[in-house]
Amino acid sequence: MYEIFQKYLEDKATLTLAESDYIKSFAIIKKLRKRQYLLQEGDIWKYDAFITQGCLRTYSVDEKGSEHVNSFSIENWWTGDRESLMFQQPSRFNIDAIEDSELVLFTHDNFELLCREIPAFNTMVNTILQKSFIAAQNRIQASLSLTAEEKYLNFIHKYPGFASRIPQTMIASYLGMTPETLSRIRKLTAKK
């Protein structure tokens, strides 16, 4: 499992063998079964987490019991609750496994240490954070300006493999629509 993360590092940063070994020395391997939580609302998130296998979702539950999916994360992506991590406050989110999943975790203190001591690692992390910020901006813009059909088409264009891995109800929640609306849109787009 760590080998997948090692390959990711090799693709994203130029590291010496000593730096790679140093990063590995802080890694914590975590396996989740389908539906198992990585984080529950009210807990404080303490890690930087990289997914080597599987699919997770980040979501909240409102006072009526409705789920609101914030994001999905798959292999070679990072996940977690940045707000809870940075401010050490109870999370508003749950993160659970949609599929059996495997992750490489770093305590945030160790992750920060790696960023300070390995410039190439720090540069990689900053690039990831910038791309994440841009993705969040694009998601907000799409949710404000696109029709329901455009949101769905945009979703399957950006994330072609997700539709076969993620239940329809979760995709509908992510797109801010009912499962019935999503079903109708899927039927319409299939006919085009």
Side-chain angles (χ1 to χ4, degrees):
M1 177 187 336
Y2 187 83
E3 296 74 31
I4 295 168
F5 181 64
Q6 182 65 42
K7 169 113 178 59
Y8 175 87
L9 288 176
E10 290 168 5
D11 290 344
K12 303 284 184 192
T14 303
L15 302 167
T16 66
L17 182 57
E19 289 170 335
S20 291
D21 289 343
Y22 189 57
I23 292 167
K24 185 176 183 178
S25 72
F26 292 106
I28 302 163
I29 305 303
K30 176 83 173 168
K31 293 185 178 189
L32 296 174
R33 292 177 315 279
K34 183 177 180 176
R35 296 187 191 91
Q36 186 176 355
Y37 286 101
L38 178 64
L39 173 68
Q40 286 186 275
E41 179 182 355
D43 292 345
I44 296 174
W45 180 242
K46 298 178 186 222
Y47 301 97
D48 289 271
F50 179 84
I51 303 165
T52 58
Q53 178 184 322
C55 182
L56 288 85
R57 69 175 169 149
T58 301
Y59 67 100
S60 62
V61 180
D62 67 21
E63 57 282 342
K64 295 176 186 170
S66 298
E67 293 181 358
H68 302 280
V69 177
N70 184 314
S71 64
F72 300 109
S73 304
I74 60 167
E75 297 89 0
N76 293 318
W77 289 19
W78 295 84
T79 192
D81 180 349
R82 200 99 193 127
E83 181 180 37
S84 178
L85 181 70
M86 299 310 295
F87 299 111
Q88 287 298 286
Q89 65 187 29
S91 180
R92 297 177 291 144
F93 300 104
N94 298 291
I95 302 174
D96 68 4
I98 295 172
E99 305 168 345
D100 289 348
S101 300
E102 297 177 353
L103 300 96
V104 176
L105 306 176
F106 297 90
T107 65
H108 191 59
D109 287 343
N110 288 340
F111 196 80
E112 290 290 311
L113 176 70
L114 292 170
C115 286
R116 282 193 307 274
E117 294 188 357
I118 304 174
F121 187 80
N122 188 55
T123 299
M124 177 195 77
V125 169
N126 284 330
T127 300
I128 291 164
L129 288 172
Q130 289 170 6
K131 288 180 178 179
S132 178
F133 182 77
I134 291 166
Q137 281 183 313
N138 290 338
R139 172 129 193 263
I140 291 166
Q141 182 61 33
S143 70
L144 295 172
S145 63
L146 299 181
T147 66
E149 183 177 344
E150 290 169 334
K151 286 179 193 178
Y152 175 69
L153 292 173
N154 185 47
F155 177 79
I156 60 172
H157 174 73
K158 277 189 167 182
Y159 312 111
F162 281 27
S164 61
R165 295 176 75 173
I166 299 170
Q168 293 272 339
T169 55
M170 292 180 191
I171 293 172
S173 174
Y174 175 81
L175 295 173
M177 60 183 73
T178 66
E180 295 78 20
T181 299
L182 179 57
S183 181
R184 190 173 62 251
I185 290 168
R186 288 187 57 177
K187 287 177 187 168
L188 287 170
T189 57
K191 292 176 185 176
K192 291 182 179 181

